[in-house]
Amino acid sequence: MAKRRVGILISGRGSNMASLVEASRAPDSAYDVVLVASDKPEAPGLAWAADHGVPTFAKSPRGIPKAEYEAAIDAALRKAGVEAIALAGYMRLLSDDFVAKWRGRILNIHPSLLPKYKGLDTHA
C-alpha cells in the first residue's frame, strides 16, 4: 500500500511538525511528510525539517495579496505531490477558497480556535 503524501504548514518552531515527521518514519506509518512550508522564512521548524531531510518551502505574505500568497503555497504543495495537509501551528487564517481546494484533505492539529479565540492560550 502506498503511503499518503503529507505537507505540513507551520509558523514557528515546529514541535508538532517534528512529532509528525518522526512518526512518519515508523515502518508501519501510513504517510510520508514530503514538504514543510511556512509563512515565516525564519521559522526554526524549517531548519529542523531541512536538517532531517524534509524539503521545505517558505514565503512571507507581507506586501502581496492574500490570493497570490495562497496560490504560491498551493503551487508548492502540488509540486511536491502533497495529497493531504496538516496545519501544525500555522498561525494564518486561510481563505475559504484555499480550504475548498483541499476540502477533505486538510486537518488543523493546533488547538487554536481562530478567529473566535485569539492567541496561544485558546483553552483558557
Side-chain angles (χ1 to χ4, degrees):
M1 182 169 96
K3 290 186 174 192
R4 187 92 170 197
R5 296 173 61 85
V6 173
I8 303 175
L9 302 186
I10 65 169
S11 289
R13 62 188 173 93
S15 57
N16 287 327
M17 173 271 303
S19 294
L20 289 170
V21 170
E22 289 170 358
S24 76
R25 297 193 169 155
D28 61 345
S29 172
Y31 68 95
D32 284 321
V33 176
V34 298
L35 184 70
V36 172
S38 181
D39 60 327
K40 298 183 186 279
E42 72 285 355
L46 290 171
W48 187 95
D51 288 347
H52 288 81
V54 180
T56 63
F57 173 84
K59 183 170 184 74
S60 173
R62 294 190 188 268
I64 62 173
K66 184 176 187 111
E68 183 179 323
Y69 168 75
E70 288 183 349
I73 292 283
D74 184 68
L77 292 165
R78 293 182 190 282
K79 182 177 179 184
V82 168
E83 298 171 294
I85 300 170
L87 304 174
Y90 189 67
M91 301 302 286
R92 293 191 57 80
L93 292 176
L94 293 167
S95 70
D96 290 344
D97 288 339
F98 183 92
V99 173
K101 288 178 186 175
W102 291 92
R103 188 166 316 281
R105 300 176 296 142
I106 187 168
L107 175 68
N108 183 11
I109 67 165
H110 192 272
S112 174
L113 297 172
L114 292 172
K116 187 172 182 181
Y117 303 105
K118 296 181 180 181
L120 297 176
D121 197 19
T122 300
H123 300 290

